[in-house]
Amino acid sequence: CTGRLHLLPLIHPMPKFLKWLLIILAALFVIGFFGFRYMKTQTKKASPEEVVTFHVGDLSLEVDYSRPSKKGRAIFGGLVPYGKVWRTGANEATTVTINKDMRFGNTAVKAGKYTLWSIPGADEWSVILNSKMYGWGVNFDGEAQRDPLADVAEVKVPVRHILVPMEQFTIAVEGNPAELTLTWDDVQVGVPVATQ
């Protein structure tokens, strides 16, 4: 009998304030989840996603990235600060999938899928391949999500200024010898790419 008396307090109904707290937390979770999905949809309208494949002989590079526009803004040294890691596009981190081992600058890189990051400077950029995949390019503070411990290649390349500014951020493979080029506003940088 005493055993039953000790169990009674354990089966009391949940206090009202605890029920309301759980309901409020669940509602905040749902609002946050759908709010984030809505925000992603809106940012993708402003910076549409594009998947392009480039070929250099039997080497192929598939680039999946989002393309922000200049819209009259000062880009490098302004919207994209100098000396800070940039996700090299908008929205999710840009990915590069390569079908075979290659040279990225002077660094040997195995076939596979990588995220592409850069650190813009006024005269020189660092362009980085990273082996980790990330859900979004930046965290809630707007800082790049790149984990430097997962970097597989970092190439320093000079800035070239182009005469006709590029309105929308563009990644391409061009030239002979081939370069992976990043072009936006009046700035272009290129990383040599080739099979090993």
Side-chain angles (χ1 to χ4, degrees):
C1 199
T2 48
R4 284 185 183 163
L5 286 174
H6 286 298
L7 289 175
L8 283 176
L10 298 176
I11 56 171
H12 274 177
M14 188 183 300
K16 278 189 178 179
F17 81 92
L18 189 54
K19 273 187 195 175
W20 280 109
L21 179 64
L22 291 174
I23 290 168
I24 290 168
L25 288 174
L28 287 173
F29 174 79
V30 168
I31 290 167
F33 176 77
F34 286 105
F36 183 67
R37 288 179 66 95
Y38 176 76
M39 180 201 72
K40 282 176 78 171
T41 302
Q42 294 307 304
T43 59
K44 286 201 176 195
K45 283 182 186 174
S47 302
E49 185 175 10
E50 187 164 328
V51 180
V52 286
T53 303
F54 304 100
H55 299 280
V56 179
D58 55 355
L59 171 67
S60 76
L61 297 91
E62 180 186 272
V63 181
D64 185 342
Y65 72 119
S66 292
R67 302 183 64 201
S69 294
K70 178 173 167 55
K71 296 180 181 172
R73 300 173 291 185
I75 301 301
F76 299 110
L79 178 67
V80 179
Y82 290 140
K84 291 187 75 173
V85 177
W86 179 42
R87 60 185 149 177
T88 316
N91 306 325
E92 293 93 347
T94 294
T95 62
V96 178
T97 305
I98 56 176
N99 69 327
K100 60 187 305 179
D101 296 357
M102 64 175 273
R103 296 200 72 73
F104 187 77
N106 289 322
T107 304
V109 175
K110 295 283 186 192
K113 185 174 183 179
Y114 301 93
T115 48
L116 180 69
W117 306 84
S118 53
I119 304 172
D123 302 311
E124 183 181 71
W125 285 30
S126 287
V127 183
I128 302 159
L129 287 180
N130 185 281
S131 61
K132 282 180 75 172
M133 298 297 116
Y134 304 83
W136 199 245
V138 294
N139 59 26
F140 287 109
D141 296 327
E143 297 293 320
Q145 287 196 352
R146 166 184 155 255
D147 175 4
L149 295 177
D151 290 349
V152 296
E154 181 172 353
V155 182
K156 294 190 182 302
V157 290
V159 167
R160 301 187 289 243
H161 290 281
I162 57 176
L163 294 176
V164 180
M166 181 77 73
E167 173 64 22
Q168 196 171 29
F169 175 60
T170 301
I171 298 177
V173 173
E174 51 196 14
N176 187 12
E179 289 184 325
L180 177 74
T181 59
L182 313 174
T183 311
W184 197 14
D185 197 1
D186 65 342
V187 168
Q188 183 180 78
V189 296
V191 178
V193 291
T195 53
Q196 288 204 64

